[in-house]
Structure formats: C-alpha cells, structure tokens
Amino acid sequence: MNLRKERWGILTAGLCIGIIAALLVMLGNPINMGFCIACFLRDISGALGLHRAAAVQYIRPEIIGLVLGSLLVAIRHREFLPRGGSSPMTRFIIAFFVMIGCLMFLGCPFRMILRLAGGDGNALFGLVGFAAGILCGVFFLNRGYSLGRTYKLPTAEGAMLPSAMGVLLGLLLLAPSFIFFTEAGAGPGANHAGIFFSLIAGLAVGAMAQRTRLCMVGGIRDVVLFGEFKLLLGFAAIFSAALIANIVFGLFTPGFNSQPVAHTDGLWNALGMLLCGFGCVLLGGCPLRQLVLAGEGNTDSAVTVLGLLVGAAFAHNFGLAASAAGPTLNGKIAVMIGLAAIAAIACMNTFKKK
C-alpha cells in the first residue's frame, strides 16, 4: 500500500509540475523553457556578472523558490539534515562538465522533457544520449562506484545555500546597478513570468520534488538497477501534462527546424546529454534533484550547484555553449574532454581499491 501511495504521489506531482511549466510559458517564460535548471542557473550566473552574454542574464525566481520550497518542507517533516564531505571537489568538477553537456544540448533533463512535449524533435536525440549516459553510469554503479560517505554537519553549514537564495531574492527585488539583466527583446533572459508567479511556481515544484524524490536521472537508473518504475512515472507524467497543456494553449509545434532555443545537430544533442546523464548518475541525481537536496542541507549538493554555475560561466565566456546556429568547435572539444574526465573519475572511484 505504501508503494502504491508513493506511485500515486509521484504521478500527481509530475502532472502538476508539467502544468506549472506550461503555465510559466504562458506567463512569459521562453517557449519550451517553462522550467529549466541549466538555463536558469546560466541566467543567474550572467546576472551576477560571471559571464557577459547579454542575452541570458536574469535572476530566476524559480530556482530560488525550488531551494526554499524544499527547505520549508524538509524542516516541516524533520528532514533538514545537514550532511556533506563526500568528495566535494570531485563533485564540483563533475557538475562543471554536466553543465557543459547541458549547454551543448541547450537544456537540462527537465527541459529535454518539456522540449519533447512542445514538439521539438531534436530532443529525441538528447533523450537517446541521456539514456546512454545513464547506462554508462549504471555500469560503474554495478561495480562499486562511490565518492565516499557523508558526515553530519552543523545546521549553519547546511543553511548556507538556502541563505544565498534569500540574498538572490533580495538582489532581484532591489535590482542594484551591479546586477545585470537582459534588455527587453534582446534574448531569452528577457522572457520571464512575473516574480511573484515564478517564485510561487518554484516553491511548489521544490515542495513536490522534495516529498516525492523526483529525479530525471533516477527514473531510468532505477528501472535498470532495480526494475522499479516509480520515479519513471513522474518523468512520464511531466511529459503528458505538459504535452496536453501545450496543445490546449496552442504551444505545440512539432518538427525539427526553427524550434525555440534549440539546434538541429542530432549528434551533438545526443553527446551533450550523454555527458549530462553520465555525470548525473555519478553525482547521484539530476540538476533538479541536486537543488532539492541542497534545500535539505546537503552541502555536497550545494557544491554541485556551484559547479553548475561556474560551468555555465565558462561555457559562455569561452564559446562552449551551443546556439540556434549549432554547436561551436570549442563546445565540441569541451564535451569530449568532459566525457574523458568523467570516465576517468568513474574509473578512479570504482577500481581504485582493486
């Protein structure tokens, strides 16, 4: 009965999250980008001046709400348990390359589902690569991959990232001159729902994801490892709800060409998400899951979020991110380096004792 209840909870949460993502587009977020962890962290990175790509600079309230929603629900259920110390620098490096993979594809696993629900056929290549990356990670999990144990930490340590999100909210509301915002009509960073609605949406998604342990990577990983389809239900529910909502709202545009914030290079869409999927398995969860865990006080996940932010900054400062015109040469080289680096990390943390 508990398993059945959990499955219904995940299914319900997925349906709600899919609808929320579509509503955010109707309220102003970029098309097929109602909620994207990688894109929104990239925008925050730009707003803080870590990169100067003027088209993608904005403090996204959805990210703030996601962490704070997880925090509030975790406190309510006595699950705010600060822990960390499991190879934080290794996690930082993996997260850095996960972001490189996401910005090659132009989206995180969450946006991959939303792009599919919007009719973007290019995301199919991403899905294939993503699944292949997860299988690579599972190969190492089955052979004992581990980044070591975590340790109990002081409450103040676990509260650092949620506190930083509160600071970001203050900066968004006050809009001081040292914070950068994309000018109207100048790029995706200028397309956003109102602060209040975005924050509420983030709080809702964070709360639901915390209670259900929703994870884009975990769905496929658990099917392969344990034959458990519970998390995959959430994956399917988000897609189904977003698809229906997009059709109702007139946002469903099937095809490959001229899709919003996307490119048509199937090989590099696949390789970008292969890098993302592989890295996320080694981290223990997708970017969405890492933000939720950070809200629960997990400092390893907080370091992972910092790695994602720095990865986004590097991607735009050094021409690694793809665009509608396709991937750059620098980006292709970075993805291949990332695959080699993550494979080396996987090997070192699997076979080092043998």
Side-chain angles (χ1 to χ4, degrees):
M1 288 297 294
N2 287 336
L3 180 59
R4 184 178 180 181
K5 184 177 179 180
E6 287 178 9
R7 288 176 175 172
W8 274 109
I10 290 171
L11 182 63
T12 302
L15 292 172
C16 291
I17 291 171
I19 293 171
I20 287 171
L23 286 174
L24 283 171
V25 172
M26 292 296 294
L27 293 170
N29 278 12
I31 297 175
N32 290 357
M33 198 192 295
F35 215 125
C36 175
I37 308 304
C39 301
F40 289 2
L41 287 175
R42 172 205 61 199
D43 292 354
I44 291 173
S45 179
L48 297 176
L50 299 181
H51 71 72
R52 296 303 174 90
V56 284
Q57 294 176 318
Y58 181 63
I59 295 177
R60 293 282 180 178
E62 294 91 344
I63 297 295
I64 298 169
L66 205 158
V67 175
L68 296 182
S70 171
L71 170 69
L72 293 173
V73 175
I75 292 173
R76 169 66 178 80
H77 292 273
R78 298 183 180 180
E79 294 178 352
F80 180 74
L81 303 169
R83 301 188 67 83
S86 172
S87 305
M89 281 308 300
T90 300
R91 292 179 184 276
F92 181 93
I93 297 299
I94 296 173
F96 176 94
F97 284 115
V98 164
M99 180 58 84
I100 299 301
C102 286
L103 293 182
M104 171 59 74
F105 171 72
L106 293 176
C108 66
F110 195 170
R111 186 177 183 234
M112 177 184 69
I113 299 305
L114 297 179
R115 283 175 59 176
L116 286 170
D120 185 354
N122 301 294
L124 291 171
F125 295 101
L127 179 59
V128 171
F130 184 58
I134 292 173
L135 292 178
C136 290
V138 167
F139 171 85
F140 289 98
L141 289 181
N142 280 329
R143 284 156 181 79
Y145 168 85
S146 173
L147 289 178
R149 59 168 295 187
T150 60
Y151 302 88
K152 186 177 179 180
L153 296 173
T155 300
E157 192 77 13
M160 288 294 181
L161 189 72
S163 298
M165 291 296 160
V167 173
L168 282 179
L169 180 58
L171 291 173
L172 173 62
L173 295 173
L174 296 173
S177 60
F178 56 82
I179 296 298
F180 300 89
F181 294 105
T182 301
E183 294 182 3
N191 299 328
H192 49 79
I195 293 174
F196 174 78
F197 292 106
S198 297
L199 184 62
I200 293 299
L203 288 166
V205 173
M208 288 185 285
Q210 197 281 333
R211 293 312 302 150
T212 60
R213 277 55 176 172
L214 190 66
C215 178
M216 301 295 112
V217 168
I220 297 175
R221 179 201 61 203
D222 288 359
V223 170
V224 176
L225 281 176
F226 314 116
E228 175 53 68
F229 287 80
K230 180 175 64 178
L231 290 178
L232 196 61
L233 282 175
F235 196 111
I238 291 173
F239 169 77
S240 300
L243 174 63
I244 293 170
N246 283 334
I247 293 172
V248 171
F249 296 150
L251 298 172
F252 181 72
T253 308
F256 290 86
N257 296 318
S258 301
Q259 291 291 340
V261 196
H263 62 81
T264 58
D265 192 319
L267 174 62
W268 290 98
N269 276 322
L271 289 176
M273 289 309 287
L274 187 150
L275 176 56
C276 172
F278 192 0
C280 286
V281 172
L282 302 189
L283 289 169
C286 67
L288 168 68
R289 182 66 181 148
Q290 296 301 326
L291 283 166
V292 170
L293 288 172
E296 295 176 5
N298 188 312
T299 62
D300 291 331
S301 291
V303 170
T304 297
V305 173
L306 295 179
L308 293 169
L309 281 168
V310 173
F314 266 72
H316 282 282
N317 285 332
F318 295 98
L320 311 181
S323 68
T328 66
L329 176 60
N330 288 356
K332 294 177 182 179
I333 293 171
V335 167
M336 298 312 295
I337 291 173
L339 288 170
I342 288 184
I345 289 171
C347 289
M348 286 188 293
N349 290 281
T350 301
F351 306 115
K352 61 185 178 181
K353 295 181 180 180
K354 296 184 181 180

